Amino acid sequence: LFLSPQPILYSYFRSSCSWRVRIALALKNIDYETVAINLTKDGGQQFSGEFQALNPMKQVPALKIDGITIGQSLAIIEYLEETRPTPRLLPWDPKKRAQVRMVSDLIASGIQPLQNLSVLKQVGQENQLTWAQQAITSGFNALEQILQSTAGRYCVGDEVSPSPGRLRLPPSPPETQPFKVDLTPYPTISRINKSLLALEAFHVSHPCRQPDTPPELRA
């Protein structure tokens, strides 16, 4: 297997999918170069011909690594796990691995796409808030119930080693802030999110600390 010396991550500071990959890279101590793709500037830099050649879906993130380019955050994380297995991102126990993937897919497929920029543009300005609130609330109702049976300190148990289930959770609660979703009914989600954000990998990869973060949003 050819291992490139410096992976390149095409990312947007506010993209939760990009954040997810940044967390995985940080957890595995992988150095990488960031190329910022601004999703709102110039009509969306993801629509440029140059970027579309890298990722035909015109979405971030995309990771150029080992001579290939991978889109879709969960696929990127799985590749990192398979090619750079230490530290591991999945529990050894197959039941826990299934639970991690269930939580990951619930958020990646059942919540996030429904309130992405591309979808919100289609539903119209006057309907965006209601649409996003319904998508998040429906997903969080299910997620809270699932986590009550799977969670320890984190999404699935409380093992020291990271898992994609943990990689998936933190991006969601910040997304709810612009849509004014009350998190009071979701104590398990809130508790886990707080624990995750205390980890160094989540701290350094946070949207407020990226090369393309605007000065007024930096922390």
Side-chain angles (χ1 to χ4, degrees), residues 163-192:
S163 70
R166 302 175 198 182
L167 303 184
R168 291 296 297 107
L169 189 60
S172 295
E175 286 178 353
T176 70
Q177 294 171 8
F179 303 121
K180 304 174 184 177
V181 174
D182 180 14
L183 295 181
T184 305
Y186 312 112
T188 311
I189 292 175
S190 298
R191 174 183 63 77
I192 295 171

Side-chain angles (χ1 to χ4, degrees), residues 10 138 146:
Y10 296 83
S138 174
I146 290 170

